[in-house]
Amino acid sequence: MPIYEPVLLKNMSQPGYTGSLKDYEKAGGYRALRTVLGKITPAEVTHLVMKSGLRGRGGAGFPTGVKWGFLPKDYKGPKYLCCNADESEPGTFKDRQLMERDPHQVLEGIAIACYAIGVETAYIYIRGEFVLGANILESAIAEARAAGYLGKAVLGTDITIDIHVHRGAGAYICGEETALLESLEGKRGLPRVKPPFPAIAGLYGKPTVINNVETLANLPHIVNRGPDWFAAIGSPPKSSGTRIFCVSGHVKRPGNYEVPMGITARELIFEQAGGMRSDKPLKAFIPGGASAPFLTPAHLDVKLDFESVAQAGSMLGSGGVTVMEEGTSMVWAALRLTEFFFHESCGKCSPCREGSSWLVQTLRRIMAGQGRMQDLETLTDLCQNIAGRTVCAFGDAEVSPILSTLKYWRHEYEELIRAAEAAGPAELLMPTATRH
Amino acid sequence: MLTDRHKAEIDDILSRYPVRRSALLPLLHLAQKEEGYVSDAAMKEIAAILRLTPPQVYETVTFYTMLSLKPVGTFHLQVCKSLMCALAGSDNLLGWLQARLGIKPGETTPDRLFTLSAVECLAACGTGPMMQVNEDYYERLTEEKVDRILADLKRDGTSPLKSGPFMWPEPASNKS
């Protein structure tokens, strides 16, 4: 099995590494911040990040440097950086590890980003359930302040960088960047209509950048080792760098694996994660979190980079790879994920709020042996009327499990329905209004 | 009153934001930690601190799954039921807990010690099945492990089986 050099998981893979400031400094920590602060202009840092090809690790994969470049030039008022640590995409558990095991790597990345975009106040919006992670970050911030890496006059310059930890309270949608801002403002987490984009009018209506934890954690390494080093890893030019893939489901060794982007799904699942947990063959996998359409064994040689996975009809998303073995009911799997989306729909847009309820009711009926063939049309029709018709990308995400399982495993739906029809006539139940 | 007991902490929270309302979730967490749920009195007091109306506080509370308007048991067992944990056996775990505690999800034991909930993804998909108990995660659960945890909680109020800083798979040298 090829061994890849870890970048983000390197420190924490060392025996005895605790994630303390002392350990982090010993491993070369905060060298990148010293390199840039007051010595390289903010514009040059942004250019460096653009040149590296770093793209967002939260799900959308937007080029980080380009995102920073959208901030208005010469803006005089306050601007903000939000570190998106909401990590709520089912199948994803990498940011938790980055924050709990090597918090200073994240903080240094935030500090570098703050310097590059001229921000004095950053908020880490961390999902509310991560109490341990929030406490670890708070302690790390206190350590870094005491050592002069954060706070006023960072490293003896006239630069101020304050980082605050802000805990969410259990809402998947708050990982959507504008919902995150609403939540941080103390409101219900309802996504905003865009434009204006956060770079123009974000937190408190001020220019704001929102970057994922893993994205920011890459910054110290890009500064230390140079953009060309980073750009050459993985599948350049569009998918540079490593990626922490979170492998879950029916594999021998689930967990986080940092590998260059562009290794095949087969290599990740069968070599890194040890292959299937039993003698049952692989039936399906999700390559990028619950929002990414299911793929089949025929897709195992697809390269795990942004373009290749998109070409295969799914998305690299958040890096959450979930593996299912033969014998897993795909209707059941689709229902489980649809129940998640139904629970998490924020309720702002009718197609998503009502549609997710209808989808769950229809799938439950099919699973309960009361389905009718018309239900498959209802499902398809609903999906087509949700995707693309909502304020945020949640609408597109919630139809993925159903449309992709209907595409590859339609016979499983039909078998359940045929059995139900053979059992005798039943009234065709139409979905009813949302019941929470 | 929160203000009497947590003056310094509240001031510290307020100092982090240029707009007072941003302190709403932190103050609600504080209130819930104190009372085990978000009471009417707490909502009114927080509204006054943030210069909001009580309905503005209430509408926010009702959006977030973690905030409870009703008292829960001393230990709130929240079992993840999303697909990834379900593939790892969370339905069996939930069944085991129901049998052990004699309650269904959404219910509290008569002694008010345990509340059981089935919740959506808690970002521990590689170490499922799992549950969160109050502020702690418990992962890679088995029936034996759950029994030990329940006994520990009853006896000591906590359990050494709770997760520490997360890394999975563990680094080779730290494997037990």
Side-chain angles (χ1 to χ4, degrees):
Chain A
M1 179 174 85
I3 308 271
Y4 299 107
E5 185 208 340
V7 178
L8 302 173
L9 305 186
K10 185 180 170 192
N11 292 345
M12 67 182 83
S13 301
Q14 306 304 314
Y17 187 82
T18 62
S20 68
L21 178 60
K22 218 173 110 206
D23 284 4
Y24 186 62
E25 284 176 322
K26 224 188 283 170
Y30 287 107
R31 204 175 75 219
L33 187 64
R34 283 182 199 280
T35 306
V36 298
L37 223 60
K39 294 179 189 140
I40 305 177
T41 66
E44 279 167 340
V45 179
T46 303
H47 180 70
L48 205 88
V49 173
M50 276 188 196
K51 209 175 150 203
S52 75
L54 175 65
R55 291 172 64 173
R57 294 329 194 212
F62 198 82
T64 306
V66 177
K67 199 181 216 181
W68 293 358
F70 289 153
L71 288 174
K73 305 277 175 283
D74 306 318
Y75 181 86
K76 289 290 178 256
K79 292 179 273 189
Y80 296 100
L81 173 74
C82 296
C83 169
N84 189 343
D86 195 49
E87 187 153 78
S88 302
E89 181 72 24
T92 318
F93 46 90
K94 62 189 173 65
D95 296 338
R96 178 179 169 214
Q97 181 163 321
L98 288 171
M99 294 185 289
E100 293 185 0
R101 283 292 184 131
D102 206 2
H104 286 284
Q105 179 176 239
V106 178
L107 297 182
E108 187 180 9
I110 294 173
I112 291 167
C114 284
Y115 174 69
I117 58 180
V119 160
E120 295 194 340
T121 308
Y123 294 100
I124 302 175
Y125 186 98
I126 185 169
R127 67 175 295 168
E129 293 88 347
F130 285 173
V131 182
L132 179 63
N135 291 341
I136 288 173
L137 284 168
E138 295 271 18
S139 310
I141 289 169
E143 272 186 310
R145 281 182 75 95
Y149 295 120
L150 295 174
K152 293 208 189 326
V154 176
L155 293 172
T157 63
D158 57 356
I159 293 160
T160 297
I161 300 173
D162 281 318
I163 304 179
H164 302 293
V165 178
H166 186 96
R167 278 175 62 212
Y172 167 71
I173 195 61
C174 293
E176 196 278 342
E177 57 180 22
T178 58
L180 183 152
L181 299 176
E182 288 288 301
S183 180
L184 187 44
E185 290 181 4
K187 302 172 195 160
R188 295 168 73 89
L190 307 184
R192 296 174 182 171
V193 177
K194 293 182 266 191
F197 288 92
I200 307 302
L203 188 62
Y204 312 123
K206 310 292 184 204
T208 303
V209 165
I210 301 115
N211 287 141
N212 168 261
V213 172
E214 185 185 353
T215 313
L216 291 162
N218 269 297
L219 297 175
H221 304 284
I222 291 173
V223 170
N224 285 334
R225 301 170 80 169
D228 296 332
W229 161 80
F230 187 88
I233 302 172
S235 302
K238 298 239 171 121
S239 297
S240 290
T242 64
R243 196 72 202 253
I244 304 173
F245 287 106
C246 320
V247 187
S248 61
H250 296 150
V251 293
K252 276 206 181 78
R253 293 195 301 266
N256 284 322
Y257 296 94
E258 184 182 20
V259 295
M261 267 198 275
I263 73 162
T264 62
R266 188 186 301 282
E267 185 183 339
L268 178 71
I269 295 167
F270 287 92
E271 296 189 31
Q272 300 287 331
M276 303 305 289
R277 67 173 184 181
S278 70
D279 52 6
K280 291 184 191 165
L282 181 145
K283 177 175 184 178
F285 69 101
I286 307 172
S291 302
F294 287 50
L295 293 176
T296 73
H299 297 107
L300 277 172
D301 290 309
V302 169
K303 288 182 171 177
L304 295 175
D305 60 41
F306 290 109
E307 274 62 38
S308 307
V309 179
Q311 233 162 32
S314 188
M315 65 174 187
L316 194 60
S318 62
V321 177
T322 301
V323 177
M324 286 157 268
E325 65 189 14
E326 203 56 66
T328 311
S329 160
M330 290 296 109
V331 184
W332 169 82
L335 171 60
R336 272 301 157 110
L337 288 181
T338 308
E339 283 175 342
F340 168 83
F341 286 115
F342 168 54
H343 182 262
E344 299 297 341
S345 174
C346 79
K348 179 166 182 160
C349 310
S350 310
C352 172
R353 183 188 62 242
E354 301 305 319
S356 58
S357 160
W358 288 26
L359 289 174
V360 165
Q361 290 179 57
T362 309
L363 285 171
R364 278 190 186 149
R365 191 166 64 238
I366 296 172
M367 275 306 287
Q370 296 170 323
R372 289 294 174 265
M373 281 301 166
Q374 293 99 307
D375 287 336
L376 299 187
E377 280 163 54
T378 306
L379 285 177
T380 312
D381 186 45
L382 282 168
C383 289
Q384 284 165 353
N385 281 290
I386 296 170
R389 298 184 187 213
T390 53
V391 160
C392 78
F394 187 106
D396 302 307
E398 72 178 286
V399 304
S400 296
I402 297 176
L403 289 181
S404 57
T405 51
L406 271 174
K407 181 173 167 189
Y408 297 118
W409 297 279
R410 191 181 179 91
H411 57 276
E412 291 193 17
Y413 287 84
E414 290 173 351
E415 276 158 28
L416 283 170
I417 291 170
R418 268 198 297 274
E421 287 180 339
E427 56 174 325
L428 180 64
L429 298 167
M430 290 307 290
T432 55
T434 303
R435 292 172 301 184
H436 278 278
Chain B
M1 295 289 277
L2 282 175
T3 329
D4 304 336
R5 286 185 304 275
H6 301 282
K7 177 94 177 61
E9 193 172 353
I10 292 171
D11 288 344
D12 176 52
I13 290 170
L14 289 172
S15 75
R16 299 172 174 203
Y17 309 99
V19 175
R20 287 178 93 83
R21 184 166 180 163
S22 273
L24 182 47
L25 285 184
L27 293 184
L28 288 167
H29 278 307
L30 189 66
Q32 178 153 305
K33 193 167 179 179
E34 175 101 359
E35 293 189 87
Y37 75 112
V38 181
S39 65
D40 283 358
M43 283 191 280
K44 283 181 188 148
E45 189 186 348
I46 289 170
I49 295 170
L50 299 181
R51 296 170 200 146
L52 298 170
T53 63
Q56 283 175 309
V57 175
Y58 178 78
E59 69 159 19
T60 307
V61 172
T62 57
F63 186 79
Y64 295 95
T65 312
M66 283 178 73
L67 300 172
S68 177
L69 289 167
K70 290 188 312 229
V72 293
T74 311
F75 304 107
H76 189 185
L77 313 178
Q78 302 176 72
V79 179
C80 172
K81 65 168 273 285
S82 294
L83 174 66
M84 293 71 189
C85 272
L87 293 171
S90 61
D91 289 1
N92 292 341
L93 171 67
L94 201 53
W96 185 260
L97 275 165
Q98 280 180 234
R100 272 285 180 269
L101 301 172
I103 52 171
K104 290 206 249 323
E107 295 177 352
T108 301
T109 53
D111 58 8
R112 305 218 49 86
L113 212 48
F114 297 104
T115 296
L116 183 62
S117 298
V119 300
E120 296 294 353
C121 189
L122 296 175
C125 318
T127 41
M130 63 82 63
M131 65 176 172
Q132 179 164 24
V133 181
N134 299 354
E135 297 191 338
D136 300 316
Y137 274 32
Y138 294 87
E139 296 163 78
R140 306 182 80 235
L141 293 174
T142 59
E143 291 167 356
E144 299 74 53
K145 217 166 153 183
V146 164
D147 285 348
R148 274 183 60 194
I149 293 164
L150 292 180
D152 288 345
L153 291 174
K154 264 191 186 167
R155 196 182 51 243
D156 308 325
T158 181
S159 169
L161 294 173
K162 69 184 178 194
S163 302
F166 173 76
M167 183 165 182
W168 198 262
E170 290 177 302
S173 54
N174 292 359
K175 266 188 192 140
S176 45

